[in-house]
Amino acid sequence: MKKVVVLTGAGISAESGLSTFRDAGGLWEGHNVYEVASPAGWAKNPSLVLDFYNQRRRQLLEAKPNAAHVALAELGEHFRLNIITQNVDDLHERGGAKNVLHLHGELLKARSTRYPHLVYDWREDIHIGDTCEKGSQLRPHIVWFGEQVHLMERAVQLTIEADIFIVVGTSLNVYPAASLIDYVGFHKPKYIVDPILPEGTDVANLHFIQKRATEGVPMLVEELILHAKMAA
Ligand code: APR
């Protein structure tokens, strides 16, 4: 079985009703990134940060996976599939996907500020005063701007080994995730599904599918499965 790696961003969850960050009306238009998503913002005003993520978590619990999430899960039945997502939602998992690497953390988890290995499943709001078992304040289990992306090494390894690389719904504005495409083998096919071609994608063997995720991903998945069956 061929190895497929899919890198996803906020665009794949847009049609599930979750806002992207940099599109018109996106989250960063209404919020100061460094106030709500950086260690400095957390130090300055933790309540504001908690409110921001509490709102995101409530929205997520109302959202449902869409046809793109479901199609990727189906792809996993025909290929050795790894999904590397920048999204903190759980829509890939709820859509049925198995191997999902959350580069930027997970909204439905909370972790201790002092003991980062203490991570808890968390579906409620996080309040000031909610603590880990050792008494430290809990924070969202999210990688903020300026923090290390601990899963990057694993993501690079998976990408280097990929036979096919697919990018869905990310502006490729945020590093190190945006650099992953540069690790894909020169001759390996690369696909991008997005209404807008992200910058910095001047790579060999690139197929740009200029469509929304719910249309472009099921189409691509169908085509790849068909090819795999013909080659078998
Ligand atoms: N289908 C597919 N793609 C879409 C759709 C859709 N329906 N709607 C929007 N898009 C595309 C946009 O064209 C854009 O390329 O999704 C992308 C969204 O880009 P961003 O808002 O920058 O989101 P993302 O790339 O995931 O951001 C990366 O930045 O703020 C941080 O940590 C946050 O993980 C996030 C990271």
Side-chain angles (χ1 to χ4, degrees):
M1 264 192 197
K2 284 193 171 178
K3 295 179 184 171
V4 178
V5 169
V6 186
L7 172 67
T8 64
I12 196 168
S13 297
E15 291 164 84
S16 291
L18 303 180
S19 302
T20 62
F21 295 95
R22 294 172 186 80
D23 289 304
L27 279 172
W28 294 154
E29 209 171 79
H31 292 92
N32 177 328
V33 181
Y34 293 98
E35 279 186 358
V36 298
S38 79
W42 172 249
K44 186 173 152 209
N45 191 347
S47 297
L48 181 79
V49 176
L50 291 181
D51 281 352
F52 176 74
Y53 287 103
N54 287 342
Q55 230 178 308
R56 306 274 81 73
R57 193 178 304 101
R58 286 184 209 168
Q59 276 177 1
L60 172 57
L61 293 171
E62 300 287 313
K64 291 191 174 59
N66 63 46
H69 298 105
V70 173
L72 288 183
E74 195 195 339
L75 189 67
E77 286 164 24
H78 301 265
F79 292 88
R80 282 173 62 188
L81 175 70
N82 280 280
I83 297 174
I84 301 171
T85 187
Q86 299 166 86
N87 298 345
V88 296
D89 65 53
D90 66 339
L91 297 182
H92 281 302
E93 288 88 343
R94 279 197 267 150
K98 301 245 162 45
N99 303 319
V100 186
L101 196 74
H102 282 274
L103 270 191
H104 294 167
E106 292 173 74
L107 199 45
L108 299 184
K109 290 185 177 168
R111 78 163 181 265
S112 167
T113 40
R114 185 165 301 173
Y115 308 97
H117 62 285
L118 295 178
V119 178
Y120 305 91
D121 288 331
W122 203 273
R123 302 177 71 83
E124 311 288 322
D125 286 358
I126 305 178
H127 300 105
I128 298 291
D130 287 335
T131 60
C132 73
E133 68 232 44
K134 294 191 175 185
S136 277
Q137 175 64 44
L138 291 178
R139 57 165 274 183
H141 184 51
I142 303 284
V143 179
W144 287 328
F145 286 96
E147 293 187 316
Q148 211 183 332
V149 182
H150 292 287
L151 293 174
M152 192 58 192
E153 211 173 310
R154 172 86 184 122
V156 168
Q157 195 52 44
L158 289 170
T159 303
I160 288 172
E161 291 168 6
D163 298 307
I164 299 171
F165 189 75
I166 303 170
V167 177
V168 185
T170 169
S171 62
L172 295 177
N173 256 282
V174 172
Y175 285 82
S179 68
L180 281 172
I181 194 163
D182 298 321
Y183 289 90
V184 188
F186 186 86
H187 296 289
K188 303 293 160 77
K190 301 151 194 93
Y191 298 88
I192 293 185
V193 181
D194 201 302
I196 300 168
L197 182 65
E199 282 180 34
T201 49
D202 187 15
V203 291
N205 284 310
L206 180 68
H207 309 267
F208 176 39
I209 300 168
Q210 188 164 20
K211 292 190 184 301
R212 289 177 294 113
T214 57
E215 197 188 344
V217 175
M219 259 178 54
L220 175 59
V221 164
E222 195 181 307
E223 188 184 313
L224 292 174
I225 293 175
L226 195 70
H227 277 156
K229 282 184 178 160
M230 276 161 44

